[in-house]
Amino acid sequence: MINLYYWPTPNGHKITIFLEESATPYKIFPVNIGKGEQFTPEFLAISPNNRMPAMVDDDPAEKGPPVSVFESGAILLYLAEKTGKLLPKDLRGRAEGLQWLFWQMGGLGPMSGQNNHFANYAVEKLPYAIQRYRDETNRLYGVMDNRLADREYLAGPYSIADMACYPWTVPPERYGQNLDDFPNLKRWWHTMQERPAVKRAYEIGTQYRGLPATDPEARKILFGQTAATVRRS
Ligand SMILES: N[C@@H](CCC(=O)N[C@@H](CS)C(=O)NCC(=O)O)C(=O)O
């Protein structure tokens, strides 16, 4: 059984998409990040970065004690290896899948996150910051659009790379983007949206509702974190 520490955000959706697609049994432990549940000692023991998602596999392939993993990219890779699903196994296919997974982790995710922060959450609307991240997201959408011109999915076959990227494009308007400018990306986006497992993953998320990140209480917890926030002694 996979114990998933989860909240319905783009990084959380990545993992429920995988688990639904692969029909892997799992149990959700909600981590209400707007209430500060990412700072409990129990959660920090498996996710020292005080971020969800995180997971514990209590039936690892090599047996022995449970294995815990944090970071959504590492979780997707762990689960793909555990199940033998959704990452090509041949050397070249695997390299394609991993490049696009890491591209999301280092580019599309962080840039879209900052984009969303400065455009939608920051009280002070800083035109330079908004433009900077909107433009970078726009460039990254252009990169995906090129990539998808001659293949159905980012790695060729459907893979964890698509599961990592898609949630960061939902909805494109939140990130100041228009899919009509990216026809190949638009086709991929609708294909992703229509996958039954993707629909189920988003549906599962609807039962967990907390304070929006614009709420003053949630803002105090989520924004302005420093080393003092995570210092243990
Ligand atoms: N690089 C991490 C990022 C995870 C992340 O930023 N999670 C956010 C929600 S999307 C979170 O848990 N935030 C809690 C906080 O900021 O304290 C991953 O991909 O897993």
Side-chain angles (χ1 to χ4, degrees):
M1 172 72 86
I2 299 298
N3 298 312
L4 175 65
Y5 294 79
Y6 163 91
W7 198 243
T9 72
N11 289 313
H13 292 309
K14 292 175 188 176
I15 314 302
T16 44
I17 292 175
F18 182 96
L19 293 164
E20 289 293 324
E21 290 284 8
S22 60
T24 304
Y26 67 102
K27 182 169 175 207
I28 288 183
F29 294 82
V31 183
N32 186 337
I33 58 174
K35 268 172 80 185
E37 292 177 1
Q38 66 275 40
F39 294 108
T40 64
E42 300 75 35
F43 183 66
L44 289 173
I46 58 167
S47 185
N49 193 37
N50 67 267
R51 299 278 189 274
M52 71 87 228
M55 53 148 274
V56 177
D57 178 3
D58 56 23
D59 183 24
E62 293 174 4
K63 302 301 170 197
V67 173
S68 69
V69 187
F70 70 100
E71 278 294 320
S72 59
I75 296 171
L76 288 172
L77 185 52
Y78 180 92
L79 291 172
E81 287 178 339
K82 179 182 171 72
T83 59
K85 293 178 181 166
L86 296 160
L87 178 65
K89 292 196 180 64
D90 62 294
L91 183 142
R92 286 177 178 77
R94 183 176 157 84
E96 299 284 359
L98 291 182
Q99 293 170 57
W100 287 93
L101 173 67
F102 282 81
W103 177 84
Q104 188 288 322
M105 296 305 300
L108 184 66
M111 295 303 137
S112 304
Q114 296 304 323
N115 175 341
N116 189 35
H117 180 86
F118 285 109
N120 302 324
Y121 296 157
V123 175
E124 193 185 350
K125 297 291 178 224
L126 298 169
Y128 180 86
I130 293 171
Q131 192 66 39
R132 158 80 189 146
Y133 291 110
R134 291 251 136 133
D135 286 353
E136 183 58 2
T137 307
N138 191 260
R139 185 187 73 80
L140 292 165
Y141 277 38
V143 172
M144 274 199 286
D145 194 57
N146 292 340
R147 175 72 184 172
L148 291 163
D150 57 359
R151 70 206 83 212
E152 190 175 7
Y153 292 105
L154 288 165
Y158 183 47
S159 78
I160 52 177
D162 304 290
M163 298 172 202
C165 290
Y166 174 72
W168 282 104
T169 63
V170 179
E173 300 74 38
R174 173 179 300 157
Y175 304 102
Q177 310 301 322
N178 180 353
L179 286 187
D180 290 339
D181 299 336
F182 306 99
N184 306 310
L185 181 63
K186 184 173 180 178
R187 187 254 314 143
W188 170 88
W189 194 90
H190 285 288
T191 304
M192 290 295 295
Q193 191 191 35
E194 289 308 315
R195 292 188 68 92
V198 172
K199 283 189 193 242
R200 285 199 300 280
Y202 277 81
E203 180 57 33
I204 285 160
T206 58
Q207 62 194 284
Y208 305 102
R209 282 287 157 239
L211 296 171
T214 44
D215 178 275
E217 281 310 302
R219 305 180 75 84
K220 253 193 266 167
I221 291 164
L222 290 170
F223 306 141
Q225 296 176 11
T226 66
T229 320
V230 294
R231 198 159 282 139
R232 300 228 174 130
S233 54

